[in-house]
Amino acid sequence: MWVNAMTEMPSNAEFQAIQSGYDQDPSRSQSLRAAAYTETTWHQVDLQHIISKTWQWVCHVEKVREPGSFVTVDIAGKPIVIVRDRAGTLRAFYNVCKHRAHELLSGEGQTNRITCPYHAWTYKLDGGLVRAPFTETLKDFEPKTICLDQVQVEEFCGFVYVNLDDSASSLSSQSGDLETEICYWAPDIEKLTFGHRLTYGIKSNWKNVVDNFLECYHCPTAHKDFCSLVDMDTYKVTTHGIYSSHMAEAGKGANSAYDVSNATVRTHAVWWLWPNTCLMRYPGRSSMIVLNIIPAGPDRTFETYDFFLETPQPNEMEKEAIRYLDEVLQVEDIGLVESVQRGMNTPAFEQGRIVNDPEGSGKSEHAVHHFHGLVLDAYSRAAA
């Protein structure tokens, strides 16, 4: 979905109003107001001032390890290509030809040059133009001065992220101890390989999807199988700068989700990274699941679940885990967030109270409150 630059931004009064009810103390605070989840203007603010200015997950580093390997992606409606150049440097560009704006590459793969399929303008893997057919007679035209527009790209904990904001500081510097945490719980993350993808279209605002992910207050009611997979008494949620950690031990007995009797990983370790990336390490073999929550409209979200495993093919335990996530847990969660979205579109709801446990248990909404604070900080910067 392309950002419409002509969409009118909220007024200063609307920016002030959207923050009402929120308190820095989660034990005093209301949630984000319903308008932030339902109105087109706030969706455009989300795209322009959150998604376009934050580090967005793209793929595992395995996809772009070799020189010439590339992958394409859309970020806030902007086409981006990530490529490993011949010297081994990872680069990202707007996937847009400098001649007539045609898309340069599609999908993923290997290439020696970047050639536009429209008029065959050709670029090196470092973005510099090397060939522009039939331009020899042009006046004041110097191909060597033309280069694809670069985008910030970073390898972080075995994955590739991009940021459309030229002025943004590195993900490593923004994320505090996140890299240390992930590498402690998943030391082999860079050696994992892609195993499976699940995709979903959800009739809900993306922030409702994030809200739901960030609390397990609803788990005993809505996810009874999950509550047998993990020991809810050990579930702890800790918020930090731009991420939160969600940790629990695996359940002590048999569970109704999937068989973990042969599991080598006995910890449920999950991280949410602002604004829309979720990294999950479920009980089982060594693995990492990446949930990418992609805003697709004021009341539409596109989700991908990518499973990175020890082997390209899931074993029987992982097949059961994938089946459980797809056929049980996601069905439950999608039903929840779509119901919430419908409720937010009625006059019966404006905002609700944050339920906070100062001890940081999983049955608390303090990580939701933390997310809302980051959203409102972004809205304040947009207003300024």
Side-chain angles (χ1 to χ4, degrees), residues 236-363:
K236 184 84 172 177
V237 178
T238 310
T239 62
H240 317 261
I242 63 165
Y243 76 97
S244 56
S245 307
H246 306 246
M247 302 289 179
E249 294 300 316
K252 296 181 175 64
N255 72 81
S256 54
Y258 62 93
D259 182 17
V260 295
S261 57
N262 295 319
T264 54
V265 173
R266 302 290 302 174
T267 302
H268 174 74
V270 173
W271 298 270
W272 167 78
L273 173 62
W274 161 258
N276 58 333
T277 303
C278 308
L279 307 167
M280 299 173 279
R281 192 167 168 88
Y282 272 42
R285 277 201 304 175
S286 182
S287 66
M288 187 65 76
I289 308 167
V290 181
L291 165 58
N292 195 21
I293 300 168
I294 304 167
D299 58 355
R300 291 292 186 274
T301 298
F302 181 67
E303 273 189 349
T304 59
Y305 271 82
D306 284 298
F307 294 77
F308 298 94
L309 312 171
E310 292 181 15
T311 57
Q313 296 299 320
N315 65 16
E316 288 305 311
M317 178 168 51
E318 288 160 347
K319 288 178 182 176
E320 275 299 293
I322 291 169
R323 182 206 60 78
Y324 163 66
L325 279 166
D326 186 32
E327 299 178 10
V328 180
L329 190 61
Q330 273 296 93
V331 173
E332 294 167 345
D333 275 331
I334 290 173
L336 293 172
V337 298
E338 290 187 343
S339 176
V340 168
Q341 188 70 28
R342 291 192 297 271
M344 285 184 166
N345 274 291
T346 72
F349 183 82
E350 183 55 48
Q351 61 187 154
R353 189 65 183 257
I354 293 291
V355 175
N356 181 52
D357 172 13
E359 298 299 315
S361 76
K363 299 174 186 177

Side-chain angles (χ1 to χ4, degrees), residues 98-117:
K98 302 299 287 185
H99 172 221
R100 293 271 296 282
H102 196 282
E103 187 176 89
L104 293 164
L105 294 172
S106 60
E108 57 190 66
Q110 280 275 339
T111 187
N112 292 320
R113 296 281 179 93
I114 301 171
T115 300
C116 181

